[in-house]
Amino acid sequence: MKLYEFQGKALFKEAGIPVPRGVIVTSSDSSGLFAPSVVKAQVLSGGRGKAGGVALVSTIEEAREAADSILAMELKGEPVKALLVEEKADIIREFYLAVTFDGEAGTPLFMASAEGGMDIEAVAEKTPEKILKLPADPLWGVTDYKIRALADFLGIEDKRAFADLVRKVWKLFREKDAVLVEINPLVLTGSGLVALDSKIEIDDNARPRLKALFDEKLAEQAAITGAVPEEDSGTITYVPLEGDVGLISDGAGTGMLSLDLIRDMGGEAADFCEMGGLTSPEVMYAAMDRVFSDKPRIKSLLVVLIGGFNRMDEMAEGITSYVRDHKVSIPLVVRLCGTMEEEGKVIMKEAGLPVYDDLLTAVADAVRHSGEGR
Amino acid sequence: MKLYEFQGKALFKEAGIPVPRGVIVTSSDSSGLFAPSVVKAQVLSGGRGKAGGVALVSTIEEAREAADSILAMELKGEPVKALLVEEKADIIREFYLAVTFDGEAGTPLFMASAEGGMDIEAVAEKTPEKILKLPADPLWGVTDYKIRALADFLGIEDKRAFADLVRKVWKLFREKDAVLVEINPLVLTGSGLVALDSKIEIDDNARPRLKALFDEKLAEQAAITGAVPEEDSGTITYVPLEGDVGLISDGAGTGMLSLDLIRDMGGEAADFCEMGGLTSPEVMYAAMDRVFSDKPRIKSLLVVLIGGFNRMDEMAEGITSYVRDHKVSIPLVVRLCGTMEEEGKVIMKEAGLPVYDDLLTAVADAVRHSGEGR
Amino acid sequence: MAILADRNTRVLVQGITGKSGILQTRSLIDYGTIVTAGVTPGKAGTTVEGVPVFNSAAEALERVEANAAISFVPPLFAKDAAMEAMEAGIKLIVLTMEGIPNHDVLDILAYASGRGVRVLGPGTAGIISPGKCKLGAHPARMYREGKVGVVSKSGALSYEVSKTLTDAGIGQSTVVALGGGPIWGTTQLDVIKLFNEDPETEAIVLLGEIGGGTETAAAEYIAGHVTKPVVSLIVGRAAPEGRSLGHAGAIIRGRAGTAESKMKALEEAGALVATTPARVVELIRKLG
Amino acid sequence: MAILADRNTRVLVQGITGKSGILQTRSLIDYGTIVTAGVTPGKAGTTVEGVPVFNSAAEALERVEANAAISFVPPLFAKDAAMEAMEAGIKLIVLTMEGIPNHDVLDILAYASGRGVRVLGPGTAGIISPGKCKLGAHPARMYREGKVGVVSKSGALSYEVSKTLTDAGIGQSTVVALGGGPIWGTTQLDVIKLFNEDPETEAIVLLGEIGGGTETAAAEYIAGHVTKPVVSLIVGRAAPEGRSLGHAGAIIRGRAGTAESKMKALEEAGALVATTPARVVELIRKLG
């Protein structure tokens, strides 16, 4: 779950990390607007500053104008529905500070740079030496010597205030099951260090143990976007694409392989839908529903199954009950093998549905059918 | 710093560990007395129950009588100055639970027994299998599987309440720099688990970082005993003994060796005074002052010094300034060697004080002088 | 020999009384894997498929021998179970479950690294050393004993390619799936080192995917140290840029993580590069 | 060879700019110990006795080589410094200071055991391998190169006995003091194992004291594994029962920790038992 800036800042405030005074407004009529101030689009994507989603205003009229104009924007496909209006900070220096984890090393990771406020990915690409990456032990966390190393790298003089802030960021990272806590920029002002922005992402896997947090933040997001809070989507990953061959797999690796093979054979996938390695008839059913609901005009559906932990009888049950419940008029190309393969094939056969053994043949047929359907 | 039961229970209460309702009284006239209740002597030593320091009373008259009688007691040399008067608990079962550390293994250690309320040292000696000793990683602490192991061993059914209690005990152990947190007995009552006694010892080494806690608890102890709160005694260990050969050493090992040799040669030490391996002129001076103040009638003083980290010039300075400031009329037998030995010997010589090289000769002379002085 | 799991492997199944636990234990035993104990707190004294169940790993190891654990414990309890197994002395832990909170995975790996424990996963299909030991989901029929070592992040892709090899008469020494999560205990590089040292492995198949840098790290090692032929297949060539396709690792981060850059790095390291499982078979065949 | 410290030892001094740090660095260098770096946060760029000072252990190890650290850092900062040295890759840490909070010591040892680091102390006089390396407080003049290994909890007692040996013309391979606190990173048993395997050590002197069970544990090991002669001296025979005499370990816990019980256990294990340093010399002499 990615949090909006204002949501992240609420967590910062709760954790004792200094943030500017600010209010959330959803229209230019709001009595909350004030000036001078900074008016900032609340979106989940990055790069809003460059796209005009942030305005510095000196008068209340300017604030209204800025609010009107930003609320009319769409940033990276995301319509702006709310603004954070904050006091300006008297910035002396800007830093970048984040804690996340390095999946390949398997450790938490601090990242810091004196090039704060900038596009940090550009810094990482062009001048990687300007970013300090400091691995941390998950339990020991930020020891004093690591804080000294960060402070020395950033050239921060008030080490005590910085140490306090870093410890609070770490505590937030651990206690809120964050996969990312980023402050860009962290600014030094006349009155100390202040988090001028916030980017926080909470681990969806932790939803069961952080139910109250998820409920609250998702409700806030829904109130802004008008969308219903997302249900826990289980293990299904769904990515809509541009083609007309529907695709469902029970593994990301075989899903991507199928995607490659569809293209190699001259077709184009309509989606990438992956169910995870341990699924059930209900998940299979839900996956088909997802694809058909989002892409009603696909020309064929390729289902690539190779069962390890998941059972082919269950997959066949999911497919056949979906076909029973819905009128599926396009060709269904199901490659099914692995655990309980025989049982699955019997179920498919009883439902009058063909089954493939070979992946290449299945992909070729799915692509062919999509061509025929055009 | 050992805590009285009532002080430990205040920490328990603060930590959310259930304790019986109780009041501290220092006289039998106190309006705090109530009945039925348990009246318990507040002393730092153990075994008060067997010695009559605990009384179960049914009426307020009995409570007054018990208070009078217990306040007149001396338990293991410690006069009883305060009583904890507590509500009786409806005991269903009694357990022993403690967390301390195993110095030789270098790990924290949980100890639990279903033989609570008993003399746990007797249990440990006679039926060691009735005590579960469970090492813990200092940072990981009490993982769920360790709590299950403890609960299974004790036969506790309400694992949730027990888990909560164990986690709080662990947190107290870590956050208060405790070297021992012992609950004996921990009792199961109709309304859940209750800590019926408390034995807590806080690490004196942690005094600088737990100043407020030490100040508070030592002031409470002083208010009860009438003694001035003990100053941080630094590294000096002083144990009064029965003989007439004063003894000071700059290491526990050589101190004990000297003790043995004094006895082997027919003498008897008046004390054991050890300064630690990294001392100063001030510590040397203080050590002599400690011995002479406590044992003004010693017949000779043996000082055994062998300098590694500590400097012999500094030791000689400490000795000579003590001799300069006080009239020392008994024979001073100083064995001095090691770091800065030459400089130390010069200082001693200038002050007209003899120096020994050989330990056996020094001990023999100290013992001989003590005989002469009789 | 094979790597990681062989005829000397004695398996402890954690979460053995759950639905997956029972089904998978059956499948391991059917394959001939020696399962000596199961653990589910509170279920001591029962058996699952003839395997005795204990309340804790420590209790199990007092009574039976085990040198590997496979866990089917629900995600939120996976960390406690893993630590329990490690403290009891297990040195190889296969975490099959997806959905373990990332901080719990970090904790597990920190605990493991301090104890010299190898963790496979989480979210892994596990290990199969055909004809010797199956310690995971791998569908038995798709494998046969042989001399090709296969490593893959994705379980399904490892089945797919192994099946193609098997159908072509080419057997495997060991097939290892690393798991699809954003954090892995064992990497491609770790497994390639083991294959390189394993006398029973004569060729290595590296199955990779877009995102991250572990295949590139493996390529560097292959160039400098691997004496055996390596055939690679990187999937995700047709994946849209910047979109997550399931494995959180499979997000393109700059140019370094594209399928093209990985294929290039592997080619430069001397590996043979395929784009389909069938082509992997052809390349292995050509090696002789 | 010697054990723990020898001519290959390269020393990092933590807390080098403090009073003890400066004095002891001088004393190590005077002895011929190779001190390659010092660390005191904020003092980078200065030198102490010609040794370059860095802000952190990591910084130091980027610039110079070091395989051992000796710490003179004040007690409340000792844990942070020890972890810093360990994370930087140091595998032997000598903690000289007394008064480190016990929980900090527990943390240091947990961190060390996960990283294969040997911790000596806290509160230790350290190590001397006469003629090769001094890594601690041992007063140089009391030692000479030779073939007797000495291990003691107490620093002063190790000096005393070594001095007596040296005065009698008997040299030492290595002398190790373990430290006086209630928790030790390295035990008598650990050191005896090392001496037993060290080709330069021909006899072992074990100096013990009342309290605890480490000498008894060492006795068990001696009985079963040690092929070299062991001479022991246990102090505290005249100590009053149940009174702490400085070392918190030196509290009589039941009969197990008495001087008599330890002497008995060692005698039964085949060790020779002395009651004075002079007698230790006699017994060593008799060995030939």
Side-chain angles (χ1 to χ4, degrees), chain D residues 16-17 37-48 51-55 59-60:
Chain D
I16 194 170
T17 57
V39 170
T40 298
K43 296 282 173 74
T46 62
T47 62
V48 168
V51 174
V53 178
F54 298 90
N55 278 336
E59 221 177 281

Side-chain angles (χ1 to χ4, degrees), chain D residues 220-272:
Chain D
E220 278 173 35
Y221 184 82
I222 290 166
H225 302 86
V226 175
T227 52
K228 301 176 183 182
V230 177
V231 176
S232 70
L233 167 61
I234 305 292
V235 302
R237 290 175 287 121
E241 271 207 35
R243 301 290 262 294
S244 172
L245 299 184
H247 291 180
I251 300 168
I252 301 181
R253 293 193 185 108
R255 291 198 53 75
T258 62
E260 286 67 28
S261 69
K262 293 186 180 197
M263 290 162 74
K264 187 159 171 281
L266 284 159
E267 198 151 19
E268 286 171 2
L272 303 170

